[in-house]
Amino acid sequence: MSLHDLNWLISHPEPKATQMVKYLREQGITHDELLALMGSLPRHEFVEPAFSHLAYSATSLPIGRNQTISQPLTVARMTQWLLTHARLGRVLEIGTGSGYQTRILAHFFNKVHTVERQHWLYLQAKQRLLSMGVKNVEYLFADGQTGWPHKVEMDAVIITAMASKIPLALTECLKQQGILIMPIDHPSPQIGCWRKEGERWKCLGTEPAFFVPLLEGLEHA
């Protein structure tokens, strides 16, 4: 490599999104369509402006109201589990947050039902995704631990906040052979993927992970 070529590479680094996708591949994310989608989404638009320069880094970032957007690898891992094991019909997401995970789910599932307990985040995510032309998402401002208010059987449930036990309302709305993905803090903080098999649950995978806690009630401010 010539000095000219080296100088050009230094002055023209790979786009941050491309670097992020390379990192995800190195960490075992193999779903090509998922990687292409994450490489094309403007992740910097889903974080607080002061942290936009870090949007494609391997870390979680603030989105306001003491909430965070999960690190790219966690988002990719959860989504790849769904794409591997779930029927891609209806998915219930507990914790809309910035709407980044919601946007990815909307690309693959026929219908996304998403619940957010903080009104400001609910409004912001809804406006953001509608402006992006996302039309197959139903938004709800509610306490996610109570499940979806209408009797709709879900092919998958994904919870993006840490709990010590699985809320019963969320397991009851899941179809048989449906997939549950959620962080749980016992015996140590981790995120897991389970399949509902009658009254039993089959663990399909776990990874260490840290999330904000799953809280009850609503925040209107």
Side-chain angles (χ1 to χ4, degrees):
M1 179 182 296
S2 69
L3 180 60
H4 176 272
D5 290 338
L6 179 60
N7 288 334
W8 189 92
L9 287 173
I10 293 173
S11 61
H12 296 78
E14 287 184 327
K16 292 179 180 179
T18 302
Q19 296 176 24
M20 179 187 74
V21 169
K22 280 189 172 183
Y23 171 75
L24 294 177
R25 282 192 184 278
E26 292 169 356
Q27 298 303 310
I29 304 302
T30 59
H31 195 286
D32 288 336
E33 188 176 355
L34 171 60
L35 289 167
L37 176 63
M38 292 185 68
S40 66
L41 286 180
R43 185 175 163 87
H44 57 276
E45 295 182 9
F46 291 84
V47 305
E48 289 188 336
F51 296 91
S52 61
H53 63 293
L54 298 174
Y56 302 92
S57 61
T59 185
S60 57
L61 294 170
I63 59 172
R65 300 299 193 270
N66 295 317
Q67 301 298 299
T68 59
I69 182 174
S70 298
Q71 59 178 293
L73 180 58
T74 300
V75 173
R77 185 81 68 204
M78 292 191 296
T79 307
Q80 183 162 271
W81 275 336
L82 289 174
L83 298 177
T84 301
H85 301 295
R87 296 178 291 259
L88 302 181
R90 294 178 182 268
V91 59
L92 173 61
E93 178 191 34
I94 304 302
T96 312
S98 69
Y100 182 73
Q101 177 75 77
T102 317
R103 173 65 183 85
I104 292 174
L105 294 173
H107 178 85
F108 294 103
F109 280 82
N110 294 332
K111 185 75 173 182
V112 179
H113 303 263
T114 187
V115 183
E116 175 55 53
R117 63 179 291 276
Q118 296 204 32
H119 194 249
W120 181 81
L121 290 176
Y122 156 78
L123 291 176
Q124 185 184 64
K126 183 176 182 179
Q127 181 180 11
R128 177 180 288 132
L129 296 188
L130 288 175
S131 71
M132 291 180 171
V134 178
K135 298 180 179 179
N136 61 329
V137 175
E138 190 168 349
Y139 307 86
L140 181 66
F141 169 57
D143 182 346
Q145 297 195 58
T146 63
W148 195 253
H150 311 296
K151 189 172 178 57
V152 179
E153 287 192 317
M154 303 291 175
D155 295 291
V157 174
I158 179 170
I159 304 170
T160 58
M162 184 76 71
S164 56
K165 62 181 180 178
I166 304 171
L168 183 60
L170 301 181
T171 63
E172 290 181 339
C173 72
L174 193 61
K175 293 179 181 178
Q176 285 298 326
Q177 302 300 308
I179 299 300
L180 171 68
I181 293 179
M182 72 171 293
I184 194 160
D185 61 8
H186 181 78
S188 60
Q190 60 184 310
I191 188 161
C193 176
W194 294 271
R195 178 187 288 126
K196 185 177 183 180
E197 299 182 349
E199 298 299 317
R200 309 179 78 175
W201 295 87
K202 181 178 181 180
C203 181
L204 303 175
T206 60
E207 290 282 340
F210 293 92
F211 283 79
V212 294
L214 183 65
L215 301 176
E216 295 181 357
L218 302 177
E219 291 191 18
H220 293 269

